[in-house]
Amino acid sequence: VIKCRAAVAWAAGKPLSIEEVEVAPPKAGEVRIKIVAAGICHTDQYVLDGLFPKVEYPVIPGHEGAGIVESIGEGVTSVKPGDKVIPLCIARCGDCSYCLNPESNICEKFHMCTPQNLLPDKTTRFTCKGKQVHHFLWVSTFAEYTVMPEYSVAKIDAAAPLEKLTVYGCGFATGYGAAVNTAKVKPGSTCAVFGLGGVGLSVVMGCKAAGASRIIAVDINKDKFAKAKEVGATDCINPRDFKKPIQEVLTEMTGHGVDYSFEVIGKTDTMVAALASCNMNTGVCVMVGQVDSGLISFDPMLLLTGRTWKGSVLGGWKARDGIPKLVSSYLEKKFNTDVLITHTLPFAKLDEGFELLRSGK
Ligand code: NAD
Ligand code: ZN
C-alpha cells in the first residue's frame, strides 16, 4: 500500500481537499501509476458541482494526466514498471462489440455504459481516513498514485516529456480528433469553432492541420482570441459585439454558412446556434461540449435540408493506439501543444487551477 496525496471531493458542491490517502496495490489485470502531471478540464468542474452523471462521492476526480507505471498486477503484459503512460478515460477492453467495430471508439466499459466509480471487480483501491473513496472514470489523476485496468492505459514513447502531455489524455485529443476524425474536415473548407478553452483551441489546431482555409473562432471572452490566432484561427468574433444571432453573422460572413461547425462550450443554446451556422445541405456540426443540464428544442427543418449533427467523445480516437501515435507526432513536431498549457502549479495549489479555469484564464 502506498500512502500519498490526493484531492478528494467529499460531496457535490464542496471544495476539493488535499488529503493523505492509501492506494492499494494493483490486482490482476490492473496497473498502478505514479501520476507525474495532471490537467484540469471543464468536465472536472462538473464533478465538483455534482453535474457529472452517476458520479459517487467521496471521489478523487481528474481525468487528464501522464505518468509512469509503478507496478503491475497478475497477467498484465502490455506495460511494465517504468513505462511512460497516458491514462485513458475511455477503456478499450478489446473484445466487446464496440471494440471489435473498426468505426467505433468506445467500449462497452465506457462510463456511459458501465459506471466507473469502482474498478471492474467492484472494489476501490483508494481509502482515506478509514473511508472508501471512489475512482472517477477509472482514471482519478488528482492523486499522486492511481490504479487502473490495463486496458485503459496507453503506453507512449519513452522520450515523451510527461509534464507537457497531460492534454493528450483529454483536451487536445478530444478537440483535434473532433476535427480530423469526427468531422473529417476537408482541405479548403470553412470552419467555425464555438468556445476557445483548451478543447476548442485543439479543434482549431485540428481544422488547420486538415487544411481548412478559413477558421472562425467564436467566444464571449475576447482574451482567448490571441491564442486562437496563434494556433490557426483566421477570424475571431465575439457574439456580444453583434445585435443579431451569431448563426446569422456566420452565415453572412461565409455566404451560406460554414462547412463544419463545432460546439465546444456545453450550452444548449450554442449547440443549436452551431448547428444553424453550418450550411443547410452539406454542413456538418459536431457537438463536443458536454451539457451541464437541460434539453434542446430546435427546428427540425435545420436537419431536413441535409445538415449532419454528430457527437464526438475523446475525438473519435481508438485511444490505446491513437493517443501514442499523437504523442509521436508531437515528438516529431507536427504540432505544438505546449501553447495549450497556460499555467503550471504545484499539486497543493489545485484549487487555484480551478479558479483560473472558472475565470477563463
Ligand atoms: P473551458 O471552460 O476552458 O472553455 C469554454 C469556453 O467557452 C470559454 O473560453 C468560454 O469563454 C466560452 N464560452 C462560454 N459561453 C459561451 C458562449 N455563450 N458563446 C461563446 N463562447 C462561450 O472548457 P474546456 O475544458 O475547453 O471544455 C469545453 C467543453 O468540452 C466542456 O463542456 C467539456 O465538458 C467538454 N468536453 C467534452 C469532451 C468529449 O469527449 N466530448 C472531452 C473534454 C471536454
Ligand atoms: Zn470493449
Side-chain angles (χ1 to χ4, degrees):
V1 173
I2 290 178
K3 283 191 181 175
C4 65
R5 289 179 304 166
V8 179
W10 288 100
K14 292 268 162 66
L16 278 171
S17 72
I18 306 240
E19 309 274 6
E20 186 181 82
V21 298
E22 291 94 44
V23 184
K27 292 191 185 174
E30 296 174 358
V31 177
R32 188 160 59 184
I33 300 166
K34 178 181 166 61
I35 297 293
V36 171
I40 302 176
C41 166
H42 208 116
T43 306
D44 298 308
Q45 180 67 46
Y46 294 156
V47 177
L48 304 192
D49 295 340
L51 297 172
F52 195 90
K54 296 184 195 154
V55 166
E56 285 182 75
Y57 301 84
V59 61
I60 298 175
H63 65 286
E64 269 192 5
I68 298 171
V69 174
E70 175 273 335
S71 59
I72 56 175
E74 202 189 306
V76 170
T77 54
S78 60
V79 291
K80 57 180 189 312
D83 282 350
K84 290 186 178 173
V85 293
I86 303 280
L88 303 172
C89 47
I90 298 188
R92 189 112 208 118
C93 79
D95 46 38
C96 72
S97 63
Y98 283 125
C99 285
L100 294 172
N101 178 347
E103 307 270 297
S104 158
N105 81 315
I106 62 167
C107 169
E108 284 176 18
K109 289 160 186 91
F110 177 48
H111 68 91
M112 289 172 88
C113 310
T114 312
Q116 296 181 333
N117 303 318
L118 296 170
L119 291 182
D121 77 341
K122 305 276 183 267
T123 62
T124 171
R125 301 295 159 268
F126 296 126
T127 44
C128 180
K129 297 177 180 159
K131 286 209 179 85
Q132 307 249 302
V133 178
H134 293 92
H135 294 250
F136 174 57
L137 305 182
W138 291 344
V139 181
S140 296
T141 52
F142 295 165
E144 290 173 310
Y145 288 85
T146 191
V147 178
M148 303 183 60
E150 175 186 15
Y151 54 64
S152 293
V153 174
K155 181 179 165 174
I156 57 169
D157 196 307
L162 294 175
E163 67 291 349
K164 304 272 191 209
L165 296 180
T166 62
V167 291
Y168 287 76
C170 179
F172 174 67
T174 296
Y176 191 86
V180 302
N181 296 330
T182 311
K184 298 191 168 55
V185 168
K186 288 189 188 137
S189 58
T190 56
C191 302
V193 182
F194 287 66
L196 302 171
V199 189
L201 290 171
S202 303
V203 174
V204 172
M205 292 170 82
C207 293
K208 185 180 177 198
S213 58
R214 194 167 186 200
I215 304 168
I216 306 170
V218 182
D219 203 297
I220 49 174
N221 179 355
K222 64 174 172 26
D223 295 343
K224 303 275 178 168
F225 292 164
K227 196 153 271 186
K229 288 222 159 123
E230 187 185 336
V231 299
T234 55
D235 309 67
C236 293
I237 57 174
N238 181 345
R240 292 185 175 158
D241 289 343
F242 300 91
K243 288 215 171 65
K244 49 180 112 160
I246 194 68
Q247 55 269 41
E248 286 179 27
V249 175
L250 284 162
T251 304
E252 278 172 21
M253 281 173 79
T254 54
H256 299 284
V258 295
D259 298 308
Y260 305 95
S261 57
F262 300 85
E263 202 279 354
V264 207
I265 301 164
K267 296 206 163 87
T268 52
D269 57 338
T270 44
M271 287 174 181
V272 178
L275 175 65
S277 302
C278 67
N279 88 65
M280 69 193 302
N281 185 218
T282 57
V284 175
C285 175
V286 180
M287 200 188 276
V288 183
Q290 178 174 331
V291 71
D292 51 5
S293 60
L295 299 173
I296 287 182
S297 92
F298 72 103
D299 179 354
M301 288 304 280
L302 286 171
L303 290 179
L304 185 103
T305 55
R307 287 183 178 90
T308 304
W309 207 358
K310 308 173 100 172
S312 177
V313 284
L314 199 58
W317 301 102
K318 276 188 188 285
R320 282 196 89 192
D321 308 323
I323 305 291
K325 282 184 195 146
L326 269 183
V327 169
S328 301
S329 298
Y330 166 84
L331 292 173
E332 289 157 15
K333 301 202 176 345
K334 289 198 180 142
F335 35 67
N336 177 16
T337 46
D338 296 355
V339 297
L340 298 173
I341 301 168
T342 53
H343 300 78
T344 303
L345 298 166
F347 186 43
K349 292 192 172 171
L350 185 58
D351 257 353
E352 219 173 276
F354 273 95
E355 194 41 52
L356 289 164
L357 175 85
R358 286 189 293 265
S359 63
K361 291 184 180 133

